Amino acid sequence: MNVVGKEDAYMIDNLTEQLNRAKENLKMKQKWEIQLEDYRKERYQVEKNVEKLKEQLQSEIADVDRLEGVSFKNLIFTLSGKKLEKLEKEKEEVMSAQLHLQEARKTKAEIEHEMKQLENKLYKVVNADKVYQELLSRKERHIKMHHDVTAETLYRLSDQETDIESYLRELDEANEAGNHVINALNQAIKSLDGAEEWGVIDLFGGGMITDAIKYDYIETASEHIHHAQSCMRKFQKELLDIDEMAEFDIDISGLLKFADFFFDGLITDWLVQNRISDAQAEVERQLSNVKNIIENLQTQVTQKQNELRHVKDERNRFIENY
């Protein structure tokens, strides 16, 4: 076995540092590529939904036009006293379709914005694979040239250290994204609580003013729900990479669809007190789901921090005892 001198040790450290940076860039590239592909799939589904909603909206508008026009069917509705009731229902369905279409378009725009951000990031690491492979070849040549067990051991421990630190960064980013979801859901809960309080007052004869205040709270809650859904999308993307490495099951089914319940019947049903209670229960359920995921992520952080300390201690002892 050859002896590792100071120059060799410096070269090992320098090459290790370069290799670690290259490895991190490569991991980030792979992560962003996975996220971008997932966004592409999601955008495709949203685009299909936008087209479907546009057709639905046109159909609902046509229904209103037919009811407002003069026809034998309209005459029957008028004579039976049901035309105004039917027309009101059709207009509510037009408003509901418009709301869903607006929400879908906002979602599509947000997805495309995130895709653009990822494409810009990927542009900066376009050669990450090539750089990493070149440095890896240099490392292999050095080990073979010296037949050096010491260098090989230092490289191995450094690789372990880099992998753990990289995973810890992934966990931190996921935790941060999850906390944004929690903040948005808490804001939605506050607005729904306000709507519920004014709804109780309304039960005792509050009238139109109470309805208006309650609906203001509901409208604010809808904005927070949309923001929470956007945060959920980013949270889900961060969990994609972690899901393969995590030592617990990450259930992200429903994270991207939980807001659907809220916008269904927003025009017609939200003055009903039970609807507000259902929304509160659903938001609380999602809040609990996200908190459970974050709690498990924190457990992973603690475990990985312990592993990192162990690897660093082993590396230090190896250098001290060499």
Side-chain angles (χ1 to χ4, degrees):
M1 180 183 76
N2 293 342
V3 177
V4 176
K6 288 184 178 180
E7 290 185 4
D8 261 348
Y10 174 79
M11 191 187 80
I12 291 173
D13 285 343
N14 185 261
L15 183 55
T16 297
E17 185 179 344
Q18 292 181 60
L19 193 56
N20 288 345
R21 283 200 302 268
K23 190 174 186 180
E24 182 62 22
N25 286 338
L26 180 58
K27 284 189 174 183
M28 295 308 297
K29 181 184 178 184
Q30 292 167 343
K31 171 186 174 178
W32 293 333
E33 285 174 341
I34 291 171
Q35 290 183 348
L36 186 59
E37 181 59 28
D38 202 59
Y39 270 125
R40 286 195 182 107
K41 293 176 182 176
E42 196 178 348
R43 181 180 63 178
Y44 174 72
Q45 294 300 324
V46 172
E47 285 175 338
K48 284 174 61 178
N49 192 36
V50 166
E51 292 306 312
K52 178 183 174 183
L53 289 169
K54 283 166 68 175
E55 291 176 6
Q56 181 183 338
L57 178 58
Q58 291 303 316
S59 175
E60 299 294 354
I61 291 173
D63 288 341
V64 171
D65 290 342
R66 279 193 295 271
L67 277 173
E68 289 181 332
V70 179
S71 68
F72 178 74
K73 186 178 180 180
N74 281 351
L75 180 60
I76 297 299
F77 270 122
T78 302
L79 293 175
S80 63
K82 293 182 179 178
K83 179 177 179 180
L84 291 178
E85 179 183 338
K86 178 70 174 174
L87 182 60
E88 188 64 27
K89 183 176 183 299
E90 294 293 347
K91 286 184 176 179
E92 286 175 350
E93 288 175 354
V94 168
M95 293 172 66
S96 180
Q98 286 175 326
L99 179 68
H100 279 79
L101 180 57
Q102 177 183 332
E103 180 66 16
R105 282 172 169 164
K106 281 169 65 178
T107 298
K108 181 187 173 188
E110 288 172 354
I111 289 173
E112 289 178 339
H113 173 74
E114 293 300 325
M115 288 176 66
K116 188 66 177 175
Q117 297 286 94
L118 284 172
E119 286 167 355
N120 290 337
K121 289 178 179 179
L122 283 167
Y123 178 77
K124 296 177 181 178
V125 292
V126 65
N127 293 319
D129 309 65
K130 181 181 177 181
V131 172
Y132 176 71
Q133 288 302 325
E134 287 176 352
L135 289 167
L136 194 62
S137 296
R138 282 178 57 190
K139 168 186 167 181
E140 289 172 352
R141 285 197 302 272
H142 178 264
I143 292 173
K144 289 177 182 178
M145 185 184 302
H146 295 272
H147 302 287
D148 194 347
V149 176
T150 303
E152 191 170 358
T153 302
L154 287 174
Y155 280 131
R156 176 182 59 80
L157 291 172
S158 179
D159 282 346
Q160 290 179 12
E161 189 175 329
T162 301
D163 288 342
I164 297 171
E165 287 175 339
S166 176
Y167 188 47
L168 280 169
R169 279 191 291 273
E170 296 293 332
L171 291 170
D172 286 341
E173 289 172 5
N175 273 318
E176 184 179 359
N179 285 323
H180 287 317
V181 177
I182 288 175
N183 291 336
L185 290 175
N186 280 329
Q187 291 299 316
I189 289 170
K190 286 181 183 179
S191 298
L192 289 171
D193 287 346
E196 183 187 41
E197 290 172 6
W198 282 94
V200 171
I201 296 172
D202 195 33
L203 291 175
F204 295 95
M208 291 180 63
I209 295 177
T210 305
D211 280 347
I213 295 173
K214 180 168 64 173
Y215 204 85
D216 280 344
Y217 275 106
I218 291 167
E219 187 176 12
T220 302
S222 73
E223 293 171 0
H224 291 309
I225 290 289
H226 176 84
H227 179 56
Q229 186 68 88
S230 299
C231 293
M232 282 255 195
R233 186 173 297 107
K234 294 177 183 177
F235 186 38
Q236 179 257 347
K237 297 298 180 286
E238 291 295 337
L239 292 175
L240 284 174
D241 195 43
I242 289 175
D243 196 21
E244 297 180 3
M245 300 180 281
E247 297 172 11
F248 66 98
D249 291 330
I250 299 176
D251 182 12
I252 57 176
S253 60
L255 284 187
L256 298 182
K257 296 181 178 179
F258 97 96
D260 291 349
F261 81 95
F262 193 86
F263 295 99
D264 289 335
L266 187 60
I267 303 298
T268 57
D269 297 343
W270 279 97
L271 297 181
V272 180
Q273 197 67 8
N274 286 344
R275 191 74 166 88
I276 297 172
S277 299
D278 290 344
Q280 287 173 311
E282 179 63 19
V283 176
E284 290 282 3
R285 188 174 74 84
Q286 293 300 328
L287 184 61
S288 177
N289 288 342
V290 175
K291 284 182 176 179
N292 284 337
I293 292 175
I294 289 179
E295 185 177 336
N296 286 324
L297 291 176
Q298 289 291 353
T299 300
Q300 287 282 288
V301 168
T302 302
Q303 291 175 356
K304 293 301 173 183
Q305 285 175 338
N306 290 335
E307 287 181 29
L308 182 60
R309 278 194 293 270
H310 176 76
V311 172
K312 285 184 174 182
D313 287 345
E314 184 180 352
R315 188 173 186 273
N316 289 339
R317 283 195 302 271
F318 181 81
I319 294 171
E320 288 168 4
N321 295 330
Y322 174 70

